[in-house]
Amino acid sequence: MKQAAIITIWFGKLPAYFPLWVRSLKANENFDFLLYTDQIVSLKSLPENLKVHSITFSELKDHISKTLNLKAAAEAPYKLCDFRPAYGEIFAEELKDYEFWGHCDIDLMFGKLDNFITRDILLLNRKVFNRGHLTLFRNEASVNSLYRSSKNIDYKMIFESPEYYMFDEWHGIHKVFKEYGIEQYHQECIADIEANAARFVCTKIENYKKQLFIWENGVVKQYYLQNGELKHRELAYIHFQKRKLQVSTPKVFSSKSVIFTPFSFVPFDGEVTPALIRKFDKGNYNHYLKRQSDRILKKLNLLSPGPVIFNQTLKSIEMTA
């Protein structure tokens, strides 16, 4: 039996950084990655551990409804995140030869997962991690059906509602596992980049006044300056959520290392120095202001009976600014 299969689903045009995600799979040969998409994946050399399954959004919705015996209310692909805790049943046929199954996002680059998801961790736990961007579940019937067992969370209501409930994260399946006292493991070992910040700072691990995140020959590292000394720590992966990062040059798909900045991915083949960190640790304030204005607008829309008026007003302000 193989160790683990990690599922990701993507509908619509693949992002420009998709080849970077694919690059990061190669260093994780103990994990297979199953990509379900309506896109033609035309990369010249896909790693052996990436399996691409062609499917449309409508076909997947029908499959979910039939498998779970309900009407899956997914008006947009993002809603499918709520169904992640049920992947063990939804994709049972594809997962039958794996000890663990999981799900992940595409807006990330993996480091060396074996350094953080060890054999001992897998043997002692039925669930590993509690973030939507990467979670693993033991592939056994009692775990695969656990999402249906909660006395406090109505999974059927969630699946049949078009609203997104974050059932795949802390607010959902994590609570169900806690409800039944089932073994689950979590460690803060990832660079989960704060979506609303100008600089690249992490949500749960320690940040530094000067720091830089680099994918270095298959390993994700956080370099930082501490009391003038250059240091680094290895991380399981980097998640650059809700950012429109540019691919600065095709060289980034073949360079030894990739530097992550709030603006773009930068190819790099040299040695990390304090000067390099100072050069690239900058803030993207256009991104920051856009995120803050979107948050304010959302609050105004929630408070107002006529949200369109606020939208029109903001557009008028932008046009005259």
Side-chain angles (χ1 to χ4, degrees):
M1 180 174 280
K2 297 181 181 180
Q3 179 169 282
I6 300 175
I7 294 171
T8 190
I9 297 173
W10 187 278
F11 293 110
K13 184 179 179 181
L14 289 163
Y17 55 76
F18 174 68
L20 291 175
W21 179 77
V22 173
R23 278 195 78 186
S24 73
L25 308 186
K26 295 180 181 179
N28 292 287
E29 61 276 359
N30 287 328
F31 299 84
D32 280 351
F33 295 84
L34 313 184
L35 171 62
Y36 291 82
T37 182
D38 59 354
Q39 300 297 292
I40 297 175
V41 180
S42 57
L43 297 178
K44 292 181 179 179
S45 56
L46 295 178
E48 292 184 2
N49 60 340
L50 173 59
K51 321 293 182 183
V52 180
H53 299 264
S54 294
I55 193 169
T56 67
F57 181 51
S58 178
E59 288 170 343
L60 182 55
K61 279 179 58 179
D62 290 344
H63 174 68
I64 292 173
S65 297
K66 182 178 179 180
T67 302
L68 303 185
N69 193 28
L70 49 75
K71 186 172 182 179
E75 298 176 358
Y78 197 75
K79 170 63 181 178
L80 294 173
C81 294
D82 273 338
F83 293 88
R84 283 170 162 174
Y87 279 3
E89 294 183 337
I90 294 170
F91 301 106
E93 179 62 26
E94 295 90 334
L95 298 173
K96 64 184 180 182
D97 294 327
Y98 295 94
E99 184 181 1
F100 273 77
W101 61 268
H103 51 76
C104 75
D105 290 350
I106 280 181
D107 54 352
L108 56 79
M109 281 191 79
F110 290 109
K112 190 67 175 174
L113 291 178
D114 280 340
N115 293 347
F116 299 90
I117 306 174
T118 65
R119 189 65 194 156
D120 285 344
I121 289 173
L122 292 176
L123 289 172
L124 293 173
N125 295 277
R126 286 180 167 81
K127 178 172 168 286
V128 177
F129 296 159
N130 52 31
R131 307 289 182 83
H133 30 93
L134 180 65
T135 302
L136 299 181
F137 299 84
R138 182 177 292 279
N139 192 14
E140 57 187 33
S142 60
V143 173
N144 294 348
S145 62
L146 190 68
Y147 71 92
R148 293 191 264 114
S149 305
S150 177
K151 299 174 183 177
N152 305 310
I153 300 175
D154 185 348
Y155 82 94
K156 195 169 184 180
M157 181 276 293
I158 292 173
F159 289 174
E160 293 186 337
S161 167
E163 301 297 322
Y164 173 50
Y165 288 88
M166 294 189 289
F167 191 44
D168 58 325
E169 300 211 30
W170 291 82
H171 309 277
I173 194 64
H174 176 70
K175 287 186 176 180
V176 179
F177 270 74
K178 288 188 69 175
E179 182 180 341
Y180 288 94
I182 297 175
E183 307 90 346
Q184 54 182 330
Y185 170 86
H186 185 74
Q187 179 189 3
E188 294 300 343
C189 57
I190 65 173
D192 186 25
I193 303 301
E194 168 59 55
N196 298 315
R199 289 176 64 228
F200 262 18
V201 294
C202 299
T203 58
K204 295 292 183 179
I205 65 173
E206 186 173 0
N207 292 289
Y208 300 88
K209 289 184 178 180
K210 285 299 175 182
Q211 61 185 14
L212 188 64
F213 298 91
I214 300 180
W215 183 86
E216 196 171 76
N217 200 23
V219 176
V220 172
K221 294 181 180 180
Q222 176 191 23
Y223 282 93
Y224 56 93
L225 300 181
Q226 190 174 55
N227 298 323
E229 184 179 352
L230 176 63
K231 297 183 178 181
H232 78 269
R233 65 177 294 189
E234 182 182 350
L235 298 166
Y237 62 95
I238 181 169
H239 179 223
F240 36 86
Q241 59 184 324
K242 298 178 176 62
R243 291 176 180 267
K244 295 181 179 180
L245 301 182
Q246 303 298 310
V247 174
S248 59
T249 167
K251 292 180 181 179
V252 80
F253 301 137
S254 58
S255 57
K256 176 185 173 182
S257 302
V258 178
I259 295 175
F260 302 96
T261 82
F263 303 92
S264 65
F265 306 95
V266 180
F268 183 65
D269 292 310
E271 180 182 350
V272 178
T273 64
L276 186 80
I277 294 176
R278 295 187 184 98
K279 176 181 178 180
F280 286 107
D281 184 12
K282 306 292 184 181
N284 184 340
Y285 291 98
N286 285 336
H287 168 83
Y288 172 78
L289 292 172
K290 177 67 165 57
R291 292 291 299 178
Q292 297 307 315
S293 64
D294 286 349
R295 293 172 72 184
I296 294 171
L297 181 59
K298 184 177 180 180
K299 289 181 179 180
L300 291 174
N301 284 341
L302 289 174
L303 293 172
S304 169
V308 175
I309 297 175
F310 287 103
N311 285 332
Q312 291 175 341
T313 302
L314 185 64
K315 288 180 180 177
S316 298
I317 293 172
E318 291 175 342
M319 290 177 66
T320 57

